[in-house]
Amino acid sequence: MGHSPFEGHLFVLMKLDMTTESYLSNMEELKALALKELEKARTAEELEQWRAAFLGRKGRVTQVVRALSGLSPHERPRAGAVANEAKTLLEARLAERQEALKGAELEQLSAQSIDVTLPGRQITLGGLHPVTQIVREICGVFTSMGFQVVEGPEVEWDAYNFEKLNIPQDHPARDMWSTLWVDYRDQQGRYPMLLRTHTSPMQARIMEQTMPPVRVVVPGKCYRYEATDATHESQFYQIEGLAVDEGITFAHLKGTLYEFARQVFGSDRKARFRCDYFPFVEPGVEMSIDCFACQGRGEEACRVCRGSGWIEIMGAGMVHPNVLRGVGYDPEVYTGFAFGLGPERIAMLKYGIEDIRLFYANDIRFLRQF
Ligand code: PHE
């Protein structure tokens, strides 16, 4: 602030020939002005500006007091007394205002002060999503059996998702996977890219890159163009498993998967294998666990197992010789087993969750339970 806000009120400076009467009336006028301006000052800074403007070394009151010397010696005492009285009054008023302001500031400060004895606010901690937890748990079971965890792309080539898995173009088995295609055509006008419908394409990718022995699990997201219901989602996780070596048999497959079921569900739960068809395995099976909702009784109204008493948790089988040949393995030397399981379904079985859609509905009341 360059200049005093009071400069607008130009005060008539005393002349040498002034009379006592005009001196006193000027003093009176100045006092009234000063008091009026003091009323307006709201902050410590404004009070200080006021002080400098009226009572400071070059302030107006100071100047008027100095002008006493322009009066005749016998007039000076009377005028001096009035001037001093005015000055003292203004100083006293200023002190009052400063005190009042300080009091108000203190009051405001204590109103804002912190009570250090109050108990702290509880911090809400985030947690791992239940699907992340179950994926980690399942991968842990397989790593304890010597499997390695690897991951792969969610946007995949038709070649890996289907062709190298013994599912040629226009093969009816493609209908098993309702596919979401990427809107991109190759030179033949075909759609070569898709959102992977399962984690099995990683079987081919891994075998192309390494020679046996292979023991891997592949967790990851998959996508299908499907209506949802209590046990189906259009976006879900799978965990693929693959073991290839000399002399691997179906007994290894069953032993590994029973051990997996025992570690995840405990030894009380029943598991069963039944024949199933997947183009990339031969023979192929599905593994099921007895339904938690109706305790495997297969009640007609059970919407979880739809009355069968069993819930399918994975497809599995011995890797098809065509697949082995396709990646450059000699099927006369190497055999292997593969499986693909659904972690959400396993979490449902393990925790008694009746609808798979709860996992992705983002309802904090559900997610907080895990
Ligand atoms: N990829 C199959 C599916 O999505 C599951 C599977 C994996 C079956 C590996 C056999 C072997 O349904």
Side-chain angles (χ1 to χ4, degrees), residues 1 13 48 66 120 125 134 147 160 171 178 181-182 198 200 222 229 246 273-274 305 322 338 346 360 370:
M1 207 176 276
L13 270 181
E48 174 53 26
R66 249 182 237 140
L125 287 178
I134 198 81
F147 286 75
Y160 286 99
H171 192 285
S178 320
W181 298 91
V182 174
H198 50 180
S200 301
C222 303
D229 63 25
E246 286 178 42
F273 289 95
R274 287 200 310 176
C305 65
N322 285 353
I346 287 163
Y360 302 108
F370 298 93

Side-chain angles (χ1 to χ4, degrees), residues 66-259:
R66 249 182 237 140
L68 276 172
S69 58
L71 293 176
S72 64
H74 72 276
E75 292 279 33
R76 246 175 254 162
R78 186 164 71 98
V82 172
N84 270 328
E85 204 179 287
K87 196 180 160 210
T88 314
L89 173 88
L90 290 175
E91 281 167 352
R93 285 285 161 83
L94 173 66
E96 269 167 34
R97 289 294 314 272
Q98 282 170 333
E99 274 309 300
L101 191 70
K102 230 184 258 169
E105 274 172 359
L106 274 179
E107 216 165 87
Q108 207 184 349
L109 272 182
S110 70
Q112 291 170 352
S113 74
I114 294 164
D115 179 354
V116 292
T117 63
L118 277 175
R121 275 192 204 123
Q122 209 190 331
I123 293 170
T124 327
L125 287 178
L128 291 177
H129 191 277
V131 174
T132 306
Q133 291 184 44
I134 198 81
V135 165
R136 290 190 181 180
E137 183 185 336
I138 295 166
C139 288
V141 169
F142 287 107
T143 51
S144 79
M145 291 192 262
F147 286 75
Q148 232 182 310
V149 181
V150 291
E151 288 181 74
E154 289 173 27
V155 178
E156 189 50 285
W157 297 109
D158 177 306
Y160 286 99
N161 197 83
F162 292 126
E163 254 158 276
K164 288 169 197 271
L165 296 175
N166 202 28
I167 316 168
Q169 293 281 344
D170 308 319
H171 192 285
R174 287 198 174 202
D175 292 348
M176 291 168 73
W177 297 275
S178 320
T179 309
L180 284 156
W181 298 91
V182 174
D183 187 9
Y184 161 74
R185 284 179 199 260
D186 62 15
Q187 279 160 346
Q188 287 89 53
R190 290 189 170 151
Y191 293 102
M193 234 188 247
L194 45 77
L195 296 187
R196 68 178 174 196
T197 60
H198 50 180
T199 42
S200 301
M202 279 303 285
Q203 289 187 30
R205 283 181 177 273
I206 290 157
M207 288 190 284
E208 274 182 354
Q209 277 165 30
T210 41
M211 284 304 285
V214 172
R215 275 156 187 71
V216 289
V217 280
V218 186
K221 248 181 244 161
C222 303
Y223 303 84
R224 289 188 197 172
Y225 182 57
E226 268 178 355
T228 65
D229 63 25
T231 51
H232 294 82
E233 256 291 4
S234 54
Q235 179 204 301
F236 54 97
Y237 270 81
Q238 275 196 350
I239 299 178
E240 193 79 9
L242 177 69
V244 188
D245 208 342
E246 286 178 42
I248 294 230
T249 70
F250 199 85
H252 293 118
L253 179 155
K254 280 183 86 177
T256 306
L257 295 181
Y258 273 133
E259 175 59 18

Side-chain angles (χ1 to χ4, degrees), residues 229-333:
D229 63 25
T231 51
H232 294 82
E233 256 291 4
S234 54
Q235 179 204 301
F236 54 97
Y237 270 81
Q238 275 196 350
I239 299 178
E240 193 79 9
L242 177 69
V244 188
D245 208 342
E246 286 178 42
I248 294 230
T249 70
F250 199 85
H252 293 118
L253 179 155
K254 280 183 86 177
T256 306
L257 295 181
Y258 273 133
E259 175 59 18
F260 153 76
R262 199 187 58 77
Q263 281 199 42
V264 173
F265 299 112
S267 10
D268 295 342
R269 207 107 223 190
K270 286 189 223 118
R272 83 171 179 193
F273 289 95
R274 287 200 310 176
C275 289
D276 204 347
Y277 171 71
F278 301 95
F280 35 93
V281 287
E282 182 59 38
V285 292
E286 53 117 324
M287 184 184 187
S288 299
I289 299 284
D290 58 334
C291 178
F292 64 90
C294 61
Q295 299 305 321
R297 285 190 293 270
E299 285 157 13
E300 225 166 280
C302 183
R303 72 184 191 113
V304 178
C305 65
R306 291 209 202 80
S308 74
W310 296 92
I311 297 176
E312 187 188 335
I313 56 164
M314 69 171 94
M318 300 306 289
V319 182
H320 198 288
N322 285 353
V323 175
L324 293 174
R325 233 174 266 123
V327 297
Y329 285 8
D330 181 353
E332 298 300 323
V333 180

